[in-house]
Every structure is written in C-alpha cells, then in structure tokens.
C-alpha cells in the first residue's frame, strides 16, 4: 500500500535549516495538507518528497521501499506545480500523454489514457488545444490530469490554487477532493491558506521554522492546538500574556497585568510561570447583559467595529486588555457601536493556555 | 486609443528618421550606384548589368558560393558549441556565471582585428599550436594560414560569444519547473533535452543562427587576413574592386549581392527552423 514515511528528514541551505528533523507518515489513500507561513519549509519538504531536493539527513520510504536516493524520474510520483509548468509547445493531449510516452506505451494506449484523464478533470474535447489557449482554471485541470495520467503512487501539489481567483479556488478545492477521493490516491498538498487546508485535508500538518508543530485532523488542529504556534496561527486569535496564579492539573488561572483573571486549560502548566492564553475571536460572546453562565466574563467598552459581511468584528477594551469578538451578522445577535458598554464572555475550554 | 497610437508613432519618429538617415540613405545610394555603368562595363543605367556580369562569371560564382559556405560552416559549428557552452553557463552560480560572461564578451571588447592577429601567429605553420606537433612528426604541415579551415576557425571564434549569449538568454527563459515537471513524469536527461529544452530553445537557436550566419557572411577581417587572395569572399571582393580596380559600381553590385544573399538566407533559415517551433 502506498504509504509515505518521512523519518528525521533534514535539509540545510547556506546559513539556515529549511527542514529540521521532520518525521511524518502519510497513510494510504490519505489527503494531507502541509500548512505553514512562507519560509516554514513546507515547499522544501514537498520538493524532497518529489526528489527535486535532496535530504541532508533522514530517509523517506514509499510503499515500504526506501526512496531517499531515488531520482525523481524513477519515483512514480505525480507533481502539480504552482505555476502548472505545462509544456507550452505541446498540446493538452501531448502534455497529458507525456509521462506515458516516456514509459514507452503504445499510441493507442496513450490516446485512451488521455481521453480518460480529460474526462476525469472535465475537459473533454480540449485535447487539441495549446495550454496558452486555456484559462487559468483549465490549465490547472490539465496539470492535474498530466500528473495523474502516469497513475502515480503519490500525488504532490504545490500551492495549486494560489493562482486562481477566489470563486474558482473554492470550486477547485471541491474538484480536487472529488478526484482524489474517486481515485483513492494518496496526496500531499502544500498551502499557506489555512481555510484551504482545513477544508481539503484528512489531516493537516502544521509546520513552522522547518519543524512539524502538529499533525492531526482539521477539527483537532483548530480546537485543540498542540503548540502555541498552532494556537496562534490557526483561526483569528486573541493572545493574552500574563502569569499563572494557580494551577490544578490541566486547568489554570492566568492573571493579566491589567488585573483580569482568565480561567483556561493547557498542558505542562505550573503556578508562577509566565504564560499566554489564546481565545478564538468567534468563541467570545459580546452581550449587553452579564453572561453569568460563563467563567470568563468581563465588562468592557467597544472601541472599534469592523463590518466583514458575514460577520462583524468588535475590538473591545477591558481592564487594559484589548480583545476582538467576532459575531455573526445575524438578527439574533446584538449590535454595538464604538463607545458602547458591554460584556465579554467565554468558556474555560475555549481559553487555551500555553506556558512561556 | 487612437490618440495614444498617434502619440506612440510621434515618439518613435525621431529614431525612425535617424535610422532612415543613417542607414537607409547610404544603402539607397549604394544600391543606386550598383545600377550605373563603369570603367569595365558600358551600358545605359540604371540597369542590372553589373549584377548580370558578376553572376555570369564562374570565378565570381565561386566567390559567392565560398561566402555562403563559410557562413554556413561557421554557423553549423558555432551553434552546437555555443549551445553546450550556454548550458554549462546556466549551471554556474551567480559570481562564476558573471565572470564567465565577462570572459566571453572580452573578444568583442578587444575587437576582431586584435584577435585575428593572434590567430595569424597561432595558426602559422611554425606557430606554438602546430609547430611542436609538426616537429614531433605527429602531423603533416597543415597549412592553415590561407586555407578555408583557418578562416572558419577564426570566424567560429569571432561569432561564438554572440551565439553563446543568445542561446544562454533563450535557455534561461525556460522556467525551471518545466524540467522538474518532465522529470517527475519519468523523463531522463536525454529525453528532457530532446522533448523540453531543445524545442523550447528553438527560437533562440533561430536567432543565434541568423546572427552567426550574418556575422560570418559579412565579416571582412578574418577572410582578409587569414584567407588572403586565395580565399576571396564577397566582402574581400568588394574591397578588391574598390582598392585595386577602383570600380565603385561593381563593388556596390557585389555588396548588393551580399545583402540579397543574406536576406535570402535569413528567410530560408527562418523557414527551416520555424517549422519546428510550436505552437
């Protein structure tokens, strides 16, 4: 079964370590997104898997076989590039058939495979065109069809949607997922767009500074971040720094410099320690009445109101702390104006505390 | 939209005028002169008698044929050499690449005459290149000076930097992911060259072909100093008409022929290589 295992993979460029002792497993048929800010090493990781970049240390196995030293042309891995990298001097059909031609397949066999691939990406009848006569979305589909035509053991995609406009991007998310699912192919997609990663992946691998921060299902990444980086990076987050006053197992009380005391949960907490609490913006309730059911509730004043269409963000000041609450733009929710007095409230479970 | 277009033309006007004045006028004057009678041929001009004369003598046809042959040989040797060099150049990192390009352009800076004088010394029978080999009995006296081979060697050297730089620019325009895409699809080094690098670099191969052919066909210094009277080409023939027989009209006709032949060759070359450029 095509399972990809990276063990202690490291890649150094002059002066900095792009990938730092990275170990992860992509299971058979799984769709994994490598997510992180630019420069986090996700693209280098993808290039090491594809074989375009060597690993200075560590090893890779695919299907149980060591591929660390195998050149890319022997890996049987399909790659979709950010720029698509379609051959401009070849027609769509020739592009898609290129991999099979390199494998010495017969003309008839290639023609059939090209037809199938075109149907798979819903571009029937466009085989005779040249890539430049296609729209960006169509080129993207051709790139996908070309990578899939060789029936690869693994499909790699490097920011495949970043060159598409917003609406097409949403459409292609669904489309790529549909194709990946229908073929049951193991896939790794690199993106800096967390929305994309959360929407598409079976599991998301969050990377920062060449290291794997957390690898888990999208909901777990979002709801239960394992590190402060993940907590901060995923979603719209309020970060509050303070000192832990009391700790009881996994729960703690964080005292902020302005006097607020927050009840939250975390791991490895110790009393007296400096720590950061992270609260997602949409998990904060903003009401005129005191939310007596919530352990964390503080009177505040609305400072700024930002209309976002689907939601409204209110920046509020409470005892020297600045917090943003994101409320749905819905009649059931109260409306506020800058200067209004209100209450902020959230549960202890929505308040994740990280030491340091 | 129309006003903008008019403005573009207006802005282009000074340079177009300058071009017409500096290039078009002398060219027209030369062509007009080539149609006039002279000390050798008397006819009522303007007429094509000078051209007819040149094209009817076996000796001059031989000169024309030699001119084209030298240019074609130079081009056919310089393009593969230049292609290999351009590919090597591409593999060099920033500083080494810059140094290599500076080194390449040095012969252009030094001027062809200086370099040809060097070739005269090197290619001489007793010169440092061949002398020791001849003395050791390894080769027979090759007589490169005054031979076609000597001229081609020096012409190749002269046009090579232009070929390398043109091809290098062309190769650099191929996006690196193109090669990676081919690799991931299973193409080995040879297949990648044949299916990706070569076809995508054809426009620059065509440019380099036109440049090297034209430079070689219109070169004067190499055939003059290294070929001599035994290896006359159209350029050295023009010089003979002017300096030895004082026949400016026939010289103009020979120059006109050279111009026409070069234009014809460029068209033929474009048609030949252009067929393979897609889409």
């Amino acid at each position: 079964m095509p399972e990809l295992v990276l063990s202690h993979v490291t890649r150094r460029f002059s002066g900095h370590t792009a990938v730092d002792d990275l170990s992860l497993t992509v299971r058979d048929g799984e769709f994994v997104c490598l997510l992180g800010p630019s420069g986090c090493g996700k693209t280098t990781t993808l290039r090491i898997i594809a074989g375009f970049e060597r690993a200075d240390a560590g090893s890779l196995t695919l299907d149980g076989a060591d591929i660390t030293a195998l050149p890319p042309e022997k890996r049987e891995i399909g790659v979709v590039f950010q720029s698509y990298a379609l051959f401009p001097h070849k027609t769509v059909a020739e592009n898609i058939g290129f991999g099979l031609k390199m494998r010495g397949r017969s003309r008839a066999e290639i023609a059939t495979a090209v037809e199938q691939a075109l149907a798979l990406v819903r571009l029937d009848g466009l085989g005779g065109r040249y890539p430049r006569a296609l729209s960006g979305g169509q080129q993207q589909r051709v790139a996908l069809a070309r990578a899939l035509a060789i029936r690869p053991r693994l499909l790699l995609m490097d920011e495949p949607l970043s060159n598409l406009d917003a609406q097409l991007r949403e459409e292609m998310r669904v489309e790529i997922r549909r194709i990946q699912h229908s073929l049951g192919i193991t896939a790794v997609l690199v993106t800096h767009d967390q929305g994309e990663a959360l929407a598409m992946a079976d599991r998301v691998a969050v990377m920062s500074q060449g290291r794997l921060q957390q690898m888990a299902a999208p909901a777990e990444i979002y709801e239960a971040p394992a590190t402060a980086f993940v907590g901060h990076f995923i979603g719209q987050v309020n970060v509050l720094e303070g000192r832990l006053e009391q700790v009881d197992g996994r729960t703690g009380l964080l005292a902020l410099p302005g006097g607020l005391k927050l009840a939250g949960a975390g791991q490895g907490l110790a009393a007296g320690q400096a720590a950061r609490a992270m609260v997602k913006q949409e998990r904060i309730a903003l009401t005129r009445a005191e939310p007596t059911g919530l352990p964390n509730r503080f009177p505040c004043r609305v400072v700024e109101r930002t209309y976002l269409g689907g939601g409204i963000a209110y920046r509020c000041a409470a005892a020297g702390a600045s917090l943003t609450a994101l409320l749905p733009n819905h009649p059931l929710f109260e409306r506020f104006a800058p200067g209004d007095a209100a209450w902020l409230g959230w549960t202890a479970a929505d308040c994740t505390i990280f030491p340091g | 939209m129309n006003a903008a277009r008019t403005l573009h033309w207006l802005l282009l006007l000074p340079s177009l005028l300058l071009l017409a004045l500096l290039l078009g006028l002398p060219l027209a004057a030369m062509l007009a002169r080539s149609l006039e009678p002279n000390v050798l041929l008397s006819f009522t001009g303007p007429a094509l008698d000078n051209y007819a004369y040149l094209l009817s003598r076996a000796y001059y046809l031989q000169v024309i044929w030699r001119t084209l042959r030298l240019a074609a040989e130079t081009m056919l040797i310089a393009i593969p050499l230049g292609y290999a060099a351009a590919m090597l150049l591409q593999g060099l990192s920033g500083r080494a690449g810059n140094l290599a390009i500076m080194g390449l352009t040095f012969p252009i800076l030094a001027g062809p005459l200086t370099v040809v004088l060097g070739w005269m010394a090197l290619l001489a029978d007793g010169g440092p290149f061949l002398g020791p080999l001849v003395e050791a009995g390894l080769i027979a006296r090759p007589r490169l000076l005054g031979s076609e081979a000597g001229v081609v060697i020096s012409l190749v050297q002269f046009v090579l930097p232009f070929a390398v730089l043109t091809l290098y620019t062309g190769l650099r325009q191929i996006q690196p992911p193109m090669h990676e895409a081919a690799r991931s699809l299973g193409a080995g080094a040879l297949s990648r060259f044949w299916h990706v690098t070569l076809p995508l670099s054809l426009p620059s191969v065509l440019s380099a072909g036109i440049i090297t052919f034209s430079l070689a066909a219109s070169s004067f210094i190499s055939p003059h100093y290294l070929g001599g009277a035994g290896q006359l080409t159209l350029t050295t023939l023009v010089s003979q008409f002017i300096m030895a027989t004082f026949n400016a009209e026939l010289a103009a006709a020979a120059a006109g022929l050279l111009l026409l032949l070069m234009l014809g060759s460029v068209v033929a070359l474009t048609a030949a290589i252009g067929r393979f450029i897609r889409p």
Side-chain angles (χ1 to χ4, degrees):
Chain A
M1 285 287 108
E3 185 185 63
L4 173 74
V5 181
L6 274 68
S7 320
H8 307 288
V9 170
T10 298
R11 176 73 171 122
R12 293 179 202 90
F13 293 114
S14 52
H16 87 289
T17 306
V19 180
D20 193 358
D21 194 31
L22 181 74
S23 297
L24 60 83
T25 299
V26 181
R27 300 178 198 128
D28 177 35
E30 193 178 32
F31 195 118
V32 165
C33 283
L34 296 181
L35 173 68
S38 54
C40 73
K42 58 190 189 298
T43 295
T44 307
T45 304
L46 191 86
R47 293 175 57 79
I48 290 172
I49 300 173
F52 302 142
E53 207 78 64
R54 65 183 166 77
D56 293 317
S59 65
L60 296 91
T61 62
L62 182 60
D63 245 340
D66 192 305
I67 59 163
T68 316
L70 205 63
E73 55 266 37
K74 301 240 167 75
R75 289 197 181 188
E76 303 284 326
I77 291 177
V79 185
V80 175
F81 294 83
Q82 184 171 14
S83 60
Y84 313 143
L86 298 176
F87 304 127
H89 60 295
K90 295 184 184 295
T91 62
V92 166
E94 287 169 337
N95 263 283
I96 297 174
F98 185 79
L100 296 173
K101 193 172 161 185
M102 290 301 108
R103 283 162 179 74
R105 301 289 165 76
S106 74
R107 246 164 224 260
E109 196 181 340
I110 294 175
T112 316
V114 168
E115 285 309 311
Q116 282 173 357
L118 279 171
L120 183 70
V121 298
R122 304 184 193 188
L123 285 179
D124 313 67
L126 292 186
R129 298 240 190 123
Y130 282 100
R132 70 170 179 196
L134 302 179
S135 71
Q138 288 171 327
Q139 291 184 18
Q140 163 77 80
R141 286 164 192 264
V142 175
L144 190 60
R146 183 179 68 176
L148 290 170
I150 61 169
R151 305 204 169 251
R153 299 191 285 177
L154 178 67
L155 177 66
L156 303 179
M157 293 169 275
D158 184 12
E159 304 263 7
L161 306 179
S162 62
N163 287 332
L164 302 176
D165 55 50
Q167 203 175 349
L168 202 56
R169 196 150 55 213
E170 303 267 312
E171 207 179 295
M172 282 308 291
R173 275 185 195 175
V174 180
E175 188 74 359
I176 289 177
R177 206 51 239 252
R178 173 186 71 79
I179 291 167
Q180 185 266 338
H181 207 75
S182 71
L183 298 176
I185 190 170
T186 313
V188 178
L189 182 145
V190 158
T191 181
H192 66 274
D193 181 337
Q194 48 176 286
E196 201 168 294
L198 296 175
M200 295 176 81
D202 293 319
R203 283 195 300 157
V204 178
V206 183
M207 290 182 68
S208 166
Q209 297 183 326
R211 288 169 180 273
L212 181 64
Q213 295 285 327
Q214 185 177 5
M215 186 166 179
E220 196 181 334
I221 293 276
Y222 194 88
E223 314 277 343
T227 67
F229 175 84
V230 178
H232 192 176
F233 183 69
I234 305 288
Q236 310 277 19
V237 183
N238 290 291
V239 181
L240 300 156
E241 294 185 12
R243 196 163 286 280
L244 281 165
E245 250 189 25
Q246 64 188 80
V247 173
D248 182 11
R250 296 183 126 212
T251 59
L253 200 63
L254 188 74
L256 303 191
L260 295 186
K261 291 192 197 313
L262 314 181
Q267 287 186 28
L269 307 179
Q273 197 179 29
R276 278 177 292 174
M278 299 194 188
V279 195
K280 301 253 190 295
Q281 289 182 0
E282 79 281 3
R283 296 294 170 88
I284 299 184
L286 185 67
T287 50
R288 288 208 160 74
E290 183 179 351
T292 48
L294 295 172
N296 295 304
R297 55 178 189 276
F298 312 101
C300 71
R301 193 160 291 280
V302 175
V303 178
E304 191 180 80
R305 172 183 180 274
T306 309
Y307 182 81
L308 297 169
I312 299 173
Y314 296 99
R315 191 160 65 78
C316 308
S322 176
L323 285 129
T324 301
L326 180 65
L327 266 51
N329 185 3
H330 188 277
L332 282 179
F333 288 83
E334 291 175 83
R335 301 293 174 96
F336 302 87
D340 286 2
W343 282 84
L344 290 165
W346 62 91
T347 65
D350 284 330
C351 186
T352 318
I353 299 177
F354 295 98
Chain B
M1 194 60 206
N2 244 336
R5 191 162 292 177
T6 317
L7 185 69
H8 284 168
W9 280 110
L10 271 176
L11 288 170
L12 270 176
L13 204 61
S15 42
L16 286 178
L17 275 177
L18 203 69
L19 208 64
L21 212 67
L22 293 182
L23 191 66
L25 220 56
L27 207 60
M30 189 225 37
L31 287 175
R33 186 145 212 194
S34 72
L35 303 174
E36 294 301 322
N38 50 71
V39 285
L40 193 67
L41 302 167
S42 55
F43 55 90
T44 44
L48 292 167
D49 293 44
N50 289 331
Y51 290 94
Y53 173 74
L54 288 174
L55 290 172
S56 63
R57 302 286 146 132
Y59 180 71
Y60 295 129
L61 287 175
Q62 211 187 341
V63 170
I64 291 170
W65 170 235
R66 183 182 297 120
T67 307
L68 293 176
R69 194 176 59 225
L70 280 174
E73 285 167 354
T74 304
M75 177 185 76
L76 289 175
I77 298 172
I79 298 270
L81 282 179
Y83 206 106
M87 287 186 79
L88 287 176
L89 204 55
Q90 232 193 344
L92 294 179
S93 62
R95 179 169 293 187
N98 285 341
L99 271 174
I101 287 175
M102 271 171 64
L104 265 176
T105 45
F106 181 74
I108 304 175
L109 285 173
L113 187 56
T114 320
V115 181
V116 161
L117 290 176
W119 278 116
M120 286 177 76
L122 283 176
L123 295 179
D125 288 357
F129 245 29
L130 306 168
L133 295 174
V134 174
E135 274 166 33
L138 287 172
I139 54 167
R141 289 193 168 269
R143 286 221 57 83
L144 281 175
L145 272 186
S147 74
E148 190 168 318
V151 179
V152 172
I153 290 175
S154 131
L155 279 176
V156 167
Q157 180 274 318
F158 169 57
V159 303
L160 203 51
F162 298 97
V164 175
L165 292 178
T166 308
L167 291 164
Y168 174 61
T169 314
L171 285 176
R172 265 178 55 138
Q173 277 170 355
I174 304 173
Q175 300 168 349
M178 230 37 105
H179 304 288
E180 291 175 351
R183 286 195 90 172
S184 74
L185 292 166
L190 219 61
S191 295
R192 290 202 295 279
F193 178 78
W194 183 249
H195 290 286
V196 180
T197 313
L198 187 61
L200 288 177
S201 66
L202 275 185
S204 64
V205 170
L206 175 58
S207 308
I210 290 172
I211 290 170
T212 52
F213 187 92
S214 312
L215 282 175
S218 62
S219 149
F220 172 76
I221 292 172
S222 291
H224 182 70
Y225 286 97
L226 296 170
Q231 300 290 337
L232 272 187
T233 62
L234 278 170
T235 54
T236 47
L237 182 67
V238 167
S239 142
Q240 279 210 346
F241 280 139
I242 295 173
M243 311 296 280
T245 62
F246 302 105
N247 194 332
E249 289 74 19
L250 220 47
L257 266 181
L258 177 62
L259 189 66
L260 281 174
L261 285 171
M262 281 184 9
L263 282 176
S265 306
V266 166
V267 170
L269 208 58
T270 309
I273 298 182
R275 281 194 310 145
F276 298 104
I277 298 178
R278 298 198 301 161

